[in-house]
Amino acid sequence: MKPRFTAVAASLAALAMVAVSPDAPASERPHARPQVAALPAGASVTADNVEALLREMGFAPQRIVRDEVIVLVFEIEKRQVLMLWGGCAAGGCKNLQIRAAFTTPRRTALDAIAAWNRGGTPLTALIDVDGDPTAVSDVVLDGASIATIRAWIEIWREQLPRFLAHLAK
């Protein structure tokens, strides 16, 4: 069973999509945090460490926090990607989800989504409520290290262009 995210996280994700829009006024855009030194592979998985990891990997994440829910927004292949923290309590968070939704010039066929999902990739394809194709992937943080998160992000960096190419067929 996939982790479920709260309504707050969902609304924050929607806010994130608008908040970092190129059309948003500068006063409404989140501020980038300063870059930090390289993290050791065994570093714990915290929002600060994952944000630092993204910067180390060449991304420019923006952090959005609302009602103690954290979303990191960054780009892969010029596509906006959201990293959502889920199952959070005082002791930390239980999982992370990366998701990216795309508008396409034509309606994406369910057959294309099903074919992608049969391919055995770590990115799950779905159609969102607006009818747009979306790629989603979760990682459970129990026992995960920053090296685990780095590998997961690298998979996304590799798989997202393949997903987009698959949709373009």
Side-chain angles (χ1 to χ4, degrees):
M1 183 159 100
K2 296 223 175 212
R4 301 271 183 223
F5 291 89
T6 65
V8 173
S11 65
L12 187 57
L15 173 67
M17 296 300 258
V18 172
V20 295
S21 165
D23 300 330
S27 62
E28 294 179 14
R29 295 177 63 95
H31 299 287
R33 296 167 57 105
Q35 188 166 356
V36 297
L39 294 166
S44 62
V45 180
T46 65
D48 288 340
N49 283 352
V50 172
E51 185 175 359
L53 172 66
L54 287 166
R55 290 186 191 292
E56 182 182 310
M57 295 176 73
F59 298 107
Q62 295 177 324
R63 181 186 292 212
I64 300 173
V65 180
R66 180 186 235 173
D67 296 330
E68 299 182 27
V69 176
I70 300 169
V71 176
L72 295 176
V73 182
F74 58 102
E75 289 185 356
I76 296 177
E77 296 289 321
K78 298 181 182 177
R79 300 292 183 147
Q80 190 174 69
V81 176
L82 303 178
M83 183 178 285
L84 304 156
W85 296 81
C88 299
C93 297
K94 294 180 180 180
N95 52 56
L96 275 175
Q97 181 182 84
I98 294 181
R99 70 174 26 237
F102 314 97
T103 54
T104 55
R106 58 181 166 67
R107 187 158 179 86
T108 302
L110 290 177
D111 289 347
I113 297 297
W116 175 266
N117 289 334
R118 282 191 303 270
T121 72
L123 275 65
T124 301
L126 54 96
I127 301 288
D128 69 12
V129 295
D130 297 322
D132 296 324
T134 303
V136 179
S137 178
D138 298 292
V139 67
V140 176
L141 297 177
D142 185 31
S145 69
I146 207 71
T148 305
I149 304 305
R150 178 187 297 276
W152 183 49
I153 294 167
E154 287 297 347
I155 289 169
W156 261 81
R157 195 186 316 229
E158 175 188 308
Q159 291 293 314
L160 192 57
R162 289 181 183 170
F163 178 66
L164 294 170
H166 176 79
L167 293 178
K169 291 180 184 176

